[in-house]
Structure formats: structure tokens, C-alpha cells
Amino acid sequence: MRVLITGGYGFIGSHVADRYFKEGYDVFILDDLSTGNKEHIKFKHKSYIVSVEDKKCEEIFRSYHFDVVIHLAAQVSVMKSILDPKRDTEINAVGLVNILSLSHKYKVGKFIFASSAAVYGANEQLPLQETNRCNPISPYGMSKWLGESYCEKWRELYSYESVVFRFSNVYGPRQGNTGEGGVISTFLERITEGKYLDIYGDGEQTRDFIYVGDVADAIYRTSNSNLSGIYNLSTNSEISINELVGLMEELHGETEVAYTAAKEGDIQRSSLSNEKVVNDLDWSPMFSMKRGLEQTYEWIKDKKTKQTSEKTVTSSKKAPSLFKQFQPYIENVLVFSVIAWLTLANQVSVLNIVDFALFYILIIGVIYGNRQSIIAVCLSIGLLIFEKILEGRELISLTYDTSFLLQVALFLSIGLIVGYSIERKNNLLKEQKSKLEEHEDRYSFLSDMHAEMREVKKELQLRVLNTGDGLGKIHYLLKELDTLDPERIYLNSIDVLQKMMKVKKVSIYKFSNDNASYKLVADSGSFKSSATLKVEDDYVQQIANKKSIFVNKTLLPNAPLMAACLSNGEEKIALITIDDLEFEHISLYHENLFKIITELIEAALVRALHFQSLSEQEHFLAQSPVLKESVFQKILQTKREAYTKFQIPYLLLEGMINEETFIHDVTEISKEIDETDYIGESNEHHLLVLLANTSKQAGEQLVSRLSEKGIVLKLVEGEL
């Protein structure tokens, strides 16, 4: 089984991931690492470094069918939510809606959302129960309450059940210093460092602390239960900060405590009732406060030991050396010093100095850009002035010396032009580099997804082959569908269904762009199929609206024996129908076999169409529906094979390309042909039109209609 944990590299998420891995689940983690740490997870898992509100999340859900999704990713700092409520809402509200919507869309069995006791606000009706009024006092609490509302609305609108846990103050190993639970990790950190503890107020304020291991246990149990709704997750007990310090001193020894003024708005007492979850889930916390503190204390001591051993290595990897930062200035001054020395030693004349200075400004500007070129200009002008003074000229006389002013203007113009040009070039390079990195990131993401899909496919192949069952033939099916060409998938699907199902008639219909019909794209050719299925037809509606396969048990007239609608989420792609199945093969076994095959065809087709949409620009001539020659020839070859194997008819029309009327001709041709037909170019500067499932008579009629519009095409291949 597969579990997706958002925020899985975080404090709570990593413990939840550990628990599911130990129970034999395939663990997938989605985290943007804003607070998480990859070092928390030591076992083999699938990792996606993506924010929960990112559109890339759909790629992950589309590629895997998760059994459980646990949404822990959140902005958890109350102070940050006050300082930046917009970002808090983006992560905690928008991110939740994205993951919740995808979980519903891709039929995730169990969705678990981590809420917080912060939704109750300053409520003094202790212990707080799920029915108590919510009145959050911070944007963080508001966003969590809003998240709970979304989960409830998804149940009302879409009948999608979820479980919401309102955590009390969670503590344990791997915790940072944020949130109320962070009090324990903060205090233990200071104690191990020999520092005093700051306590706000008199220390008698209470909190309901729960160990992270108990939280992970409750979440795991929930994923294997029928639980739904809102639950507190707590120990149903209170402990004061003074009592907490006393337990810590038992572990470490006496420590100094400093009491300061209480924080404004700080809640004096907090405790959540866990009666509902104890009764409904048959769960109870296993870790006492003392045992939980011992576990956390030992982890912090181990962490301090590791940090001490790594301190030397870390200190050697600090900021880049000062030399690299000042290298352009140093080299600029060195080159200028050579020119100045030649000048002051009377090695070159003033005229040559001008030549040398221009060359110096040009080189520095080209190498280092605008800033260094301006410095070079200033230094060169200074050197020129100094030379004039050595000749006995006065500074005031230089202001009306046209020769001097011309030289200064020359220095400035060269420096500014070269500096600006190089700076502009560098900015363009940075912009292109940024775009390249963005595309590389997208490519890397898709490449990783593809690699993981291939791993899953290989694993599935091995499992199927090792069963010893007749379904080992699915290995052959997977090989046939291992392509990114939709036309090839349509063709191979017919072959696969005929061989696997031992059925004579197979038809595949593609959903039209006008959403009004299904167009025939492939057919076994055993006997004539309808070229179009209308969406409003009763049996077509039954097939398209069924979540599983359609079986014609009521013997509807004109309906196929079995059919399946292929879709990408809510978007319909195609319809597969089979007929003329031998009587002994009309069984539940063959129904299940048909379901498995069509699901694999659907997965292959979704992947191929997604790849096609990403690489669409590479397939067509610029700003036209005309396929490039290499792409068109692949489709043509597929049609030829379909004709050879199944006698599926096709026609190839050819005509000369008229440069002046090219766009008009292509537009008119596009209006006349179906969306299952193609327009392409040939290396002989010819325009090609490929008509699928078209008779010679229909082709001749098309040629005639186009001829009336001044477009001359002739039939060159097909039913001649």
C-alpha cells in the first residue's frame, strides 16, 4: 500500500513516515524543506521537493494511486503568521485545498489533516472538547480552522470523508524551537548547554503535552479504520511549566531559572479531552511525560555530540575568500599601475598613453563589466591630468583645452559603451540561465517521475510473471504499451485485447473536441464498426458515466458486450469496446481481465498524451497545425501497419505547397477533415493529408470540395 505524507521531512512527519515504513507501506514524501530535514528519514522512500500549493503536485497524484494521504505540511509559527498572514494562508489554506482536491480527484482512500488546538483560542472550558466553540486568536489558528471547514465541505459537496486531528502540544526527538511544543526542546537545549531557563510569568501556566510517537501511532491506526470527522489528539492532562522543569532537573541535574513578565495574550491553562478518539479508535497514549522527556533528552545529547564533531568541518566551509571578492579591483589596479609606471618612467609618450588607456578601458570593461570600466575611466583621466601637470600645465587651463577634453570624452564614451554593452550581455545571460534552470528543474522533475514509473512497471512485471498465472501475459501487454506515441498505443491496444481476451471485434473511439461524440480511431476490422458514437445515445452515456467497466448484461440493442471509458481524472479521453466474445469466455475472470488491461491502456495513454502536450511545439511547424515530416511519417507508418494487420482503411493525399496561400490552404483543409486526421509536410516541399478510417469515395469527395476552393490534392496511397 502507498502513503503520501506532506511535510514528511518535518518533526511530526518524519515520525509518521517511520511508523508507516515499519508497517510495510511504500512511503512517498512531499516537502519543500522550508523547515524539514532530509536527514530525518533513513529508509528507502520516494521524495518530492515541492511546495503543497505547487501545480506539480498533480503529476505525483496522477502517477501513483495513493491509499492514504496525510497532510502535515504547514506553517506552524504563530508569530510568523502574525507578521506574514498572507504566506501563512497560502501554505495552510491554499496548500490544503490543493492536496485535498487532488486526493478526491484521484480517489485516495483515506485523507488525514493535521489541525491544532489553536483553533479553540482562549477558551477556559477545560478540558476542551470537539464540540466547544472555536475562536482562534492568531492567523495560524484561523488558517487551521479554515482547513477544517474545507474538509467538512468536501464531505458535504463530494461525499469525501476525511479525518481531522487537533493536536495538543506535540514534543519529542527532531523537534525545532517553534510552537508551544518547542518549549520542551528549547529548555532541554539550554540545559545541555549549561544555560539558565527563561520562564514567562510565574511558571504555573499549564499545557497538554503529547509525545510524537503517540501521535504517529494514532495516525497509523486511523488509516486502517472507518474513522471520520474531527478529533482531539492529546493526553487529556495538564502539567505546569514549573513541574516540567522539575522533571528535566531529575534527568540532568539542578539548573538556574529566571522568571520574567508574562507574555501578553498568553493562555494560562490548556488541556484537550481525548475521550472521543479513545472510544472511537480504541487508542490511548503510551508514553508518560517522564518517559517522553527521557527519549527527547537522549536525542538532544546525541545531536550535541554530533554537532561538536562536525564543527571544525563546518567552520572551514564559510564565506568565499576575500581575494575572490576583491579580485576584479586588484587586477584593475595592477594593470593601471603598469601603465602609470610606463608613463612616469618616461617609457611612452602622452599620445601612446592615450592609446594604452583606451585599450586598458576596453579590456577591463569587456572582462568585468560596467563598474570596473568606470573605475578604469576615472583612473585613466587621473593619469592624463597628472601627465599634463608634469608638463607644466595648470589645472584651470585644461578646462578649455579642446584636445584634453576630447581625450576625456573619448575615455568616457568608450568606458560607458563597453561597460553598458557587457552589463546588458551579462543580464541577458543571467535571464537565460534562470530560464534554463527553470526548464532543467521541470525536466528533472518529469524525468524522475518517468524513471520511477519505469521502476514500478518493472516491479509489476516481475510480480505478475512470478505468480505462475495466465496473467503473466500482461508482461507482453506492458511491452506493447511502453511507448509515448498515442497512435501506436491505439494500434497496439487492439492487438493486445484480441490476444489476451480472445475476442474478434475491438474498437477504440477518441473523445471529440466538441464533447459531442466519440470518433473511431482504431478497429480490429473483423466487421464494420460505426465511425461515430454520439454522446447523447443512451448506451454511450451508460458506458461513459460508469466508474468501472460496462458489461451489457441486460442485452441493450446496438451496445457492445463490454466497454470501458478511458479518462484522465474528470477529462474523458477515449472509449474501448469489445464484441463477439466466445460464450465460454463470458465470465467474471474475463471481466476482471478486461478491467486490468483497459486500466493499463489508460495509464499508458495518459502518460503519452501528457508527454505530447509538453513537446507539442517540437511536433508542428511554427504557428500551424502542420506536423513536421519526421512526426508525420511515424503516424503514417502506424496507419500502414494498422491496414496490414486489421485492414483499417486510410488515405494519403498530396499537393504542392503554395507559399503565398499556405496559411489559407491549411486552414481550409483543417475545416474539412476530422480531428482524427493529420496534415503534414514532406521533404519534397509537398503538403500531405492523412485521412483515418476513410473510404476512397469519401476521399474523392473531399478532394472535390477542396478543388472548388482552389486547393489541388491527389490520392497517392490507400484504396487506389
Side-chain angles (χ1 to χ4, degrees):
M1 298 180 75
R2 293 171 178 166
V3 58
L4 174 67
I5 305 170
T6 68
Y9 290 126
F11 160 49
I12 299 176
S14 60
H15 285 276
V16 173
D18 283 343
R19 178 59 189 274
Y20 275 92
F21 177 74
K22 289 174 183 176
E23 298 293 340
Y25 278 70
D26 293 329
V27 177
F28 296 73
I29 291 178
L30 191 154
D31 201 312
D32 65 358
L33 296 182
S34 56
T35 56
N37 186 347
K38 274 193 167 186
E39 295 298 318
H40 288 164
I41 303 297
K42 304 297 184 184
F43 56 82
K44 183 181 178 182
H45 63 286
K46 296 288 192 305
S47 172
Y48 299 99
I49 309 305
V50 181
S51 180
V52 287
E53 68 269 22
D54 199 303
K55 291 181 180 179
K56 290 179 181 176
C57 293
E58 183 155 10
E59 301 286 350
I60 301 167
F61 277 84
R62 183 186 291 119
S63 301
Y64 301 98
H65 295 289
F66 297 114
D67 300 287
V68 185
V69 169
I70 301 162
H71 186 60
L72 298 170
Q75 192 291 115
V76 296
S77 170
V78 173
M79 186 55 64
K80 283 184 180 179
S81 76
I82 295 171
L83 296 175
D84 191 359
K86 181 172 179 278
R87 182 58 182 155
D88 181 82
T89 304
E90 286 175 354
I91 299 174
N92 291 358
V94 178
L96 164 70
V97 172
N98 188 34
I99 300 300
L100 180 60
S101 299
L102 292 173
S103 297
H104 169 251
K105 180 177 179 180
Y106 292 97
K107 301 177 178 59
V108 173
K110 179 74 72 174
F111 182 86
I112 301 172
F113 170 55
S115 186
S116 167
V119 300
Y120 291 113
N123 197 325
E124 297 180 357
Q125 301 177 22
L126 302 182
L128 292 166
Q129 297 183 341
E130 291 83 353
T131 54
N132 283 118
R133 184 173 69 93
C134 293
N135 185 26
I137 58 177
S138 67
Y140 168 72
M142 291 167 63
S143 65
K144 285 296 184 181
W145 192 24
L146 181 61
E148 293 182 5
S149 301
Y150 272 110
C151 290
E152 179 65 17
K153 282 300 174 187
W154 253 245
R155 182 187 66 80
E156 294 177 7
L157 294 173
Y158 310 114
S159 300
Y160 187 63
E161 299 288 346
S162 60
V163 180
V164 175
F165 279 127
R166 292 171 178 170
F167 295 159
S168 61
N169 307 114
V170 187
Y171 74 96
R174 307 173 192 165
Q175 187 177 27
N177 299 329
T178 57
E180 286 290 354
V183 168
I184 290 179
S185 61
T186 300
F187 278 10
L188 288 176
E189 289 269 2
R190 294 185 68 84
I191 283 176
T192 54
E193 293 171 359
K195 298 178 181 178
Y196 66 89
L197 304 181
D198 283 315
I199 296 180
Y200 297 97
D202 58 6
E204 290 304 310
Q205 59 267 41
T206 64
R207 295 293 181 266
D208 187 342
F209 293 104
I210 182 170
Y211 186 67
V212 67
D214 287 327
V215 171
D217 180 57
I219 290 174
Y220 171 72
R221 285 169 175 262
T222 301
S223 63
N224 293 281
S225 72
N226 295 321
L227 211 66
S228 66
I230 298 173
Y231 291 86
N232 290 332
L233 200 56
S234 66
T235 60
N236 197 22
S237 62
E238 296 178 73
I239 182 172
S240 70
I241 301 302
N242 288 332
E243 290 173 325
L244 182 65
V245 172
L247 291 174
M248 290 180 179
E249 287 181 333
E250 290 180 16
L251 289 172
H252 185 78
E254 191 173 346
T255 186
E256 186 180 349
V257 177
Y259 292 90
T260 58
K263 289 182 180 179
E264 186 177 351
D266 197 12
I267 298 172
Q268 185 63 24
R269 294 178 60 204
S270 176
S271 176
L272 304 186
S273 170
N274 64 7
E275 182 178 351
K276 185 180 177 184
V277 72
V278 168
N279 291 333
D280 292 0
L281 188 62
D282 191 23
W283 166 91
S284 62
M286 302 297 293
F287 284 80
S288 66
M289 193 72 213
K290 184 175 182 180
R291 185 183 168 200
L293 282 176
E294 288 174 354
Q295 297 280 346
T296 310
Y297 178 66
E298 291 300 322
W299 178 81
I300 287 177
K301 284 202 306 182
D302 290 343
K303 185 181 75 168
K304 291 290 182 186
T305 303
K306 290 179 182 178
Q307 286 177 344
T308 302
S309 63
E310 294 172 358
K311 195 172 183 181
T312 306
V313 178
T314 306
S315 62
S316 65
K317 297 180 180 179
K318 290 188 176 179
S321 65
L322 291 176
F323 175 75
K324 286 189 176 180
Q325 295 180 30
F326 291 100
Q327 184 178 354
Y329 298 94
I330 295 170
E331 292 182 356
N332 195 341
V333 171
L334 285 175
V335 175
F336 174 74
S337 299
V338 173
I339 295 175
W341 175 78
L342 292 172
T343 303
L344 297 177
N346 296 319
Q347 297 294 317
V348 295
S349 65
V350 174
L351 182 61
N352 287 335
I353 282 299
V354 174
D355 293 337
F356 273 112
L358 288 175
F359 182 71
Y360 156 62
I361 293 169
L362 184 64
I363 292 300
I364 291 297
V366 168
I367 296 174
Y368 293 114
N370 196 43
R371 179 178 296 180
Q372 295 302 322
S373 70
I374 294 300
I375 294 173
V377 167
C378 294
L379 292 174
S380 298
I381 292 173
L383 179 60
L384 187 60
I385 293 171
F386 188 70
E387 266 289 294
K388 296 292 184 182
I389 292 173
L390 289 180
E391 291 176 359
R393 301 288 297 277
E394 295 183 359
L395 283 175
I396 193 67
S397 67
L398 296 178
T399 58
Y400 50 80
D401 185 339
T402 55
S403 175
F404 171 77
L405 294 176
L406 183 62
Q407 292 169 355
V408 170
L410 187 61
F411 288 169
L412 282 170
S413 61
I414 293 296
L416 291 173
I417 291 171
V418 173
Y420 171 76
S421 300
I422 298 302
E423 200 72 24
R424 186 169 180 275
K425 182 205 75 173
N426 290 339
N427 289 335
L428 287 173
L429 286 174
K430 286 180 182 177
E431 184 180 340
Q432 293 300 320
K433 185 178 179 182
S434 176
K435 289 181 180 179
L436 179 63
E437 288 175 351
E438 182 181 340
H439 287 299
E440 285 178 344
D441 179 58
R442 187 179 182 189
Y443 172 79
S444 176
F445 180 79
L446 291 174
S447 178
D448 289 343
M449 292 285 293
H450 178 66
E452 288 172 10
M453 286 294 290
R454 291 187 69 85
E455 280 185 28
V456 172
K457 188 194 78 171
K458 288 178 181 177
E459 185 177 343
L460 177 61
Q461 288 174 346
L462 289 173
R463 288 182 182 179
V464 172
L465 289 171
N466 290 334
T467 60
D469 196 282
L471 286 176
K473 293 179 182 178
I474 291 181
H475 174 67
Y476 154 78
L477 183 153
L478 292 171
K479 286 180 65 178
E480 290 293 294
L481 299 179
D482 189 14
T483 175
L484 294 175
D485 180 3
E487 290 292 334
R488 176 65 61 181
I489 291 175
Y490 290 135
L491 175 61
N492 290 357
S493 296
I494 293 176
D495 200 27
V496 163
L497 282 164
Q498 282 191 316
K499 290 181 178 178
M500 300 278 293
M501 297 287 296
K502 294 182 173 57
V503 64
K504 296 178 182 178
K505 179 175 172 56
V506 181
S507 301
I508 302 178
Y509 296 86
K510 181 181 176 184
F511 197 46
S512 63
N513 294 334
D514 59 7
N515 299 332
S517 62
Y518 289 88
K519 303 283 187 179
L520 184 67
V521 290
D523 182 70
S524 59
S526 55
F527 50 93
K528 191 172 179 62
S529 299
S530 175
T532 304
L533 298 180
K534 292 183 179 180
V535 171
E536 62 265 21
D537 290 348
D538 290 341
Y539 82 92
V540 176
Q541 287 186 15
Q542 286 192 43
I543 296 170
N545 293 332
K546 284 186 77 67
K547 300 297 182 183
S548 58
I549 64 168
F550 167 83
V551 181
N552 192 4
K553 295 181 179 179
T554 58
L555 301 179
L556 289 171
N558 301 322
L561 180 62
M562 291 186 196
C565 183
L566 310 184
S567 61
N568 182 11
E570 299 298 325
E571 178 188 358
K572 295 180 177 64
I573 301 174
L575 208 65
I576 296 181
T577 67
I578 64 171
D579 229 324
D580 201 23
L581 185 67
E582 294 182 9
F583 182 77
E584 61 268 23
H585 292 153
I586 301 176
S587 64
L588 184 60
Y589 172 83
H590 280 79
E591 285 182 29
N592 291 330
L593 181 59
F594 182 63
K595 182 175 183 294
I596 291 170
I597 295 171
T598 53
E599 284 178 353
L600 290 170
I601 293 172
E602 179 184 67
L605 197 55
V606 167
R607 184 176 69 247
L609 291 173
H610 183 60
F611 174 80
Q612 188 181 67
S613 67
L614 291 175
S615 57
E616 194 171 76
Q617 293 179 352
E618 300 174 5
H619 290 174
F620 294 91
L621 296 180
Q623 300 179 341
S624 79
V626 180
L627 291 167
K628 293 181 179 178
E629 182 194 1
S630 58
V631 180
F632 186 85
Q633 289 299 326
K634 287 181 181 179
I635 297 174
L636 178 58
Q637 181 60 32
T638 304
K639 297 299 182 186
R640 287 169 176 161
E641 290 181 24
Y643 181 75
T644 303
K645 283 185 177 181
F646 308 113
Q647 290 72 54
I648 302 174
Y650 74 96
L651 296 177
L652 180 64
L653 308 180
E654 182 182 61
M656 292 295 294
I657 294 178
N658 188 331
E659 300 275 350
E660 297 178 357
T661 62
F662 176 74
I663 296 177
H664 170 268
D665 293 351
V666 169
T667 303
E668 291 300 324
I669 293 172
S670 298
K671 292 177 182 178
E672 294 289 341
I673 64 176
D674 289 334
E675 55 204 56
T676 54
D677 302 329
Y678 299 93
I679 306 174
E681 65 162 354
S682 72
N683 57 3
E684 298 173 349
H685 207 59
H686 288 174
L687 190 66
L688 302 175
V689 179
L690 179 59
L691 306 177
N693 296 296
T694 305
S695 66
K696 182 179 180 180
Q697 182 181 0
E700 289 173 345
Q701 291 173 356
L702 173 63
V703 170
S704 177
R705 290 197 302 273
L706 292 174
S707 178
E708 293 174 1
K709 298 180 181 182
I711 304 170
V712 179
L713 296 175
K714 64 177 181 178
L715 182 61
V716 294
E717 190 176 323
E719 292 186 355
L720 297 176

